[in-house]
Amino acid sequence: MSASTSENKKPRGEAEELALDTDLGWAIRMVSTAFRRVATESVADLPGGARGYLVLVALAGGEPPSQLALAKEVSLDRTVLTYLLDDLEAHELVARRPDPRDRRARQVLITDTGRTRLSQVRRSLAAAEARLLTDLDDQDAEQLRTLLSRVARTAQREAIAPDVADC
């Protein structure tokens, strides 16, 4: 065997470590691309598309946040969020009111119309997600969601997450 042939031949363990299907970056890119495609179709009729969906999900979960807190939670620039909220409000999906604790701040609330629309979009998105997760059983799919949420929180906390508006 020549020197060049033996240099190109990797030990079996090292070759397996370098396999594309075990590379985190490749896996995230493939899943992200596929998810973006199915999610975009599912939220296409919602004002603001994926961004609008993220805002409605964030608002559906609890106490009305201020616009600034909401911008941080969904990782959107405050100016971008203002325009998005204008659009969502024009479609009666959200409402804004002065924050009773700080009259200079504005709270954002999801309306009944917004909850109904969010429920419709979630059903469509759930069907799209099911197609993407078809090779996983329910337990594996739940574990994947849990682990990805933990990594996403770390990314958000560490401010290494890109603008999630593209999701």
Side-chain angles (χ1 to χ4, degrees), residues 37-163:
R37 186 177 56 252
V38 298
T40 299
E41 293 168 7
S42 297
V43 300
D45 294 334
L46 193 63
R51 290 176 175 175
Y53 171 77
L54 290 176
V55 167
L56 293 178
V57 169
L59 295 175
E63 172 123 4
S66 68
Q67 283 187 213
L68 181 59
L70 180 60
K72 288 179 182 176
E73 185 176 0
V74 297
S75 298
L76 285 177
D77 178 81
R78 291 179 311 172
T79 306
V80 171
L81 180 65
T82 299
Y83 289 115
L84 178 57
L85 291 176
D86 289 345
D87 199 16
L88 291 168
E89 197 168 32
H91 286 85
E92 300 179 350
L93 302 176
V94 303
R96 289 179 274 195
R97 68 175 184 207
D99 187 331
R101 296 170 302 233
D102 180 357
R103 305 293 281 172
R104 296 168 296 168
R106 311 267 291 158
Q107 286 183 321
V108 185
L109 303 103
I110 187 169
T111 64
D112 289 340
T113 302
R115 286 186 190 283
T116 299
R117 188 70 183 104
L118 177 60
S119 179
Q120 294 165 347
V121 170
R122 286 190 92 134
R123 281 192 300 276
S124 175
L125 193 54
E129 288 174 3
R131 287 193 318 268
L132 186 61
L133 301 176
T134 194
D135 289 338
L136 302 180
D137 62 28
D138 290 343
Q139 184 178 356
D140 285 345
E142 184 61 32
Q143 184 177 17
L144 177 64
R145 289 174 195 278
T146 299
L147 294 173
L148 284 174
S149 291
R150 286 172 49 194
V151 172
R153 283 191 300 275
T154 300
Q156 187 177 39
R157 184 178 61 249
E158 300 293 326
I160 58 175
D163 184 2

Side-chain angles (χ1 to χ4, degrees), residues 20-43:
L20 191 59
D21 64 351
T22 61
D23 184 81
L24 179 63
W26 174 82
I28 288 173
R29 182 165 189 243
M30 295 303 294
V31 171
S32 177
T33 300
F35 183 77
R36 185 176 299 120
R37 186 177 56 252
V38 298
T40 299
E41 293 168 7
S42 297
V43 300

Side-chain angles (χ1 to χ4, degrees), residues 1-10:
M1 197 184 318
S2 72
S4 64
T5 304
S6 63
E7 288 173 6
N8 291 335
K9 191 169 186 172
K10 304 273 188 225

